[in-house]
Amino acid sequence: MKKVIVTGGAGFIGSHTVVELFEAGYTPVVVDDFSNSHRSVLDALRALTSADLAVYDLDCTDAEKLAEVFRDDGHICGAIHFAAYKSVVESVRAPRKYYANNIGSLVTLLGVMQEFGLENLVFSSSCTVYGQPDALPVTEATPLQRAQSPYGFTKQVCEQLIDDLVDAKSPLRAVTLRYFNPIGAHPSGQIGELPIGVPDNLVPYITQTAAGLRETLTVFGGDYATPDGSCVRDYIHVVDLAKAHVKALDWITTQKSEPFNEVFNLGTGEGVSVLEAVRTFEAVNDLKLNYTVGARRPGDVEKIYANVDKARDVLGWRAELRLGDAMRDAWNWQTTLAQRGFAKQR
Ligand code: WQD
């Protein structure tokens, strides 16, 4: 069995990746402390994979507990590290929590991997490491700029840590995936984004507004130097993103054994404005969304979208789903939540 440890496996991207790993013939082992995810996701994953998933409820900064996963489970071929806090806004309010968890969990995982001789790692990073790029679209060679938030800085530090281990000739064969803006949900409506509290991110705020859980969506800024004045992002369907992780793991196992950290942008390659995203949501779901254009949000990058040639040429991966697919699936997920009595998350 090709066992893969998936830290943060009950989270938004982690849960979708568990499904794709299973469908590709891997045996995912879920590790999650459920501090930012729901245990109900596990039932959905068991239903979607019709497998009795192995799940470890633990904090990835706890080396002893994490080592038990490696002891309990037979041949593990790789680890995918999602476990991290991911709110830009919260990281500004609570930086210590972000440094301790996001950096601490990777440091711990890398130590336990070395202890058990596991070399293959897929690391979940973010386009936020680029800051506001000078030239667009960004390639993997685009220089990183000073992070705009503690969250972004933890991603830069984690990437640097992996590079430093490779330079020190540690037995590590890593792929770092820089996500652009993950959105949408599994088309089954069984899993999706479950933000706790008021969503920071655009699409869950849109779907909660459409569902009547929020009064109105505020578009943060209409005076940017973009075609319609609203910020531009590269929105990628979470299922496409999940499939890229399988491709990354497959690719690592075909590489020579010398240490490496290969970085890939994961986006669609297309820039979409907030207002375009809103209009697409309305069109594909035949809905009218209640929104206003308000003040800019501090720290927002004006425009960023990816050059995704490297993932295509090296991993043989490209996004296949469109913005409309993601907006349809996000709304389907929100209506499923309502049917299941999931009102506003805490
Ligand atoms: C997108 C656009 C907002 C909410 C961050 C992280 C990134 C990733 C996704 C984890 C911006 C606008 C939003 C709202 C709005 N994190 N917006 N009204 O900030 O691009 O990226 O989250 O995976 O790493 O950097 O995503 O969805 O918060 O914002 O107008 O109520 O939508 O101003 O232009 P962001 P976002």
Side-chain angles (χ1 to χ4, degrees):
M1 270 198 282
K2 298 186 296 182
K3 287 190 179 180
V4 183
I5 288 181
V6 185
T7 73
F12 176 37
I13 301 159
S15 58
H16 288 79
T17 302
V18 163
V19 173
E20 298 306 327
L21 282 167
F22 187 82
E23 288 181 7
Y26 287 99
T27 302
V29 175
V30 172
V31 173
D32 206 302
D33 67 0
F34 300 98
S35 62
N36 198 27
S37 54
H38 292 258
R39 284 177 174 73
S40 61
V41 170
L42 301 177
D43 300 332
L45 287 177
R46 289 186 173 116
L48 281 168
T49 60
S50 48
D52 184 17
L53 227 44
V55 179
Y56 291 83
D57 179 346
L58 61 88
D59 177 342
C60 284
T61 60
D62 182 331
E64 197 29 56
K65 287 251 178 61
L66 193 55
E68 279 167 30
V69 182
F70 285 73
R71 268 189 218 103
D72 287 357
D73 273 276
H75 180 67
I76 294 169
C77 69
I80 304 181
H81 186 50
F82 292 106
Y85 297 133
K86 62 170 193 174
S87 165
V88 171
V89 172
E90 186 192 35
S91 76
V92 174
R93 268 200 319 269
R96 193 196 59 74
K97 171 181 171 180
Y98 274 69
Y99 288 115
N101 184 49
N102 292 11
I103 298 170
S105 61
L106 179 63
V107 168
T108 304
L109 174 64
L110 289 166
V112 175
M113 284 177 68
Q114 186 146 14
E115 183 188 338
F116 287 86
L118 180 63
E119 299 182 3
N120 301 336
L121 171 70
V122 177
F123 174 63
S124 164
S125 189
S126 164
C127 65
T128 201
V129 300
Y130 293 113
Q132 175 59 68
D134 297 330
L136 288 171
V138 288
T139 72
E140 290 80 359
T142 297
L144 306 192
Q145 297 192 8
R146 181 177 167 72
Q148 315 255 328
S149 68
Y151 161 75
F153 186 57
T154 64
K155 290 301 183 183
Q156 289 181 345
V157 170
C158 287
E159 290 195 12
Q160 186 62 54
L161 167 57
I162 295 169
D163 282 340
D164 290 347
L165 284 171
V166 168
D167 292 345
K169 300 278 180 272
S170 299
L172 182 59
R173 297 138 40 91
V175 161
T176 290
L177 301 177
R178 290 178 182 161
Y179 310 157
F180 282 69
N181 284 62
I183 62 168
H186 194 268
S188 67
Q190 291 303 305
I191 51 175
E193 204 163 0
L194 267 174
I196 293 172
V198 180
D200 295 329
N201 294 137
L202 176 65
V203 174
Y205 207 103
I206 287 177
T207 59
Q208 288 190 13
T209 302
L213 297 176
R214 307 288 166 199
E215 273 298 299
T216 181
L217 167 78
T218 303
V219 173
F220 295 139
D223 58 352
Y224 286 101
T226 63
D228 62 18
S230 63
C231 290
V232 171
R233 294 289 184 277
D234 185 335
Y235 294 100
I236 175 168
H237 197 298
V238 63
V239 170
D240 275 331
L241 195 57
K243 289 180 174 170
H245 289 74
V246 180
K247 288 277 190 181
L249 204 52
D250 290 343
W251 181 79
I252 292 177
T253 53
T254 64
Q255 297 311 295
K256 55 193 183 324
S257 59
E258 282 86 63
F260 61 81
N261 178 22
E262 205 61 56
V263 178
F264 295 93
N265 285 339
L266 294 183
T268 64
E270 281 173 56
V272 169
S273 76
V274 175
L275 287 170
E276 281 174 302
V278 168
R279 276 197 292 278
T280 303
F281 176 82
E282 291 181 315
V284 299
N285 295 305
D286 194 20
L287 287 168
K288 190 82 196 78
L289 191 75
N290 199 11
Y291 70 92
T292 59
V293 179
R296 294 182 175 194
R297 179 172 68 177
D300 265 340
V301 156
E302 176 174 84
K303 230 179 333 195
I304 185 165
Y305 55 94
N307 173 309
V308 289
D309 294 349
K310 185 178 174 187
R312 179 198 62 204
D313 299 341
V314 176
L315 300 181
W317 171 91
R318 62 181 310 149
E320 292 164 356
L321 297 166
R322 315 285 306 153
L323 180 65
D325 299 315
M327 291 302 191
R328 179 201 63 229
D329 293 337
W331 178 235
N332 178 49
W333 165 244
Q334 184 68 55
T335 51
T336 309
L337 284 176
Q339 287 153 12
R340 287 162 44 188
F342 263 84
K344 250 182 257 187
Q345 307 312 320
R346 305 192 285 276

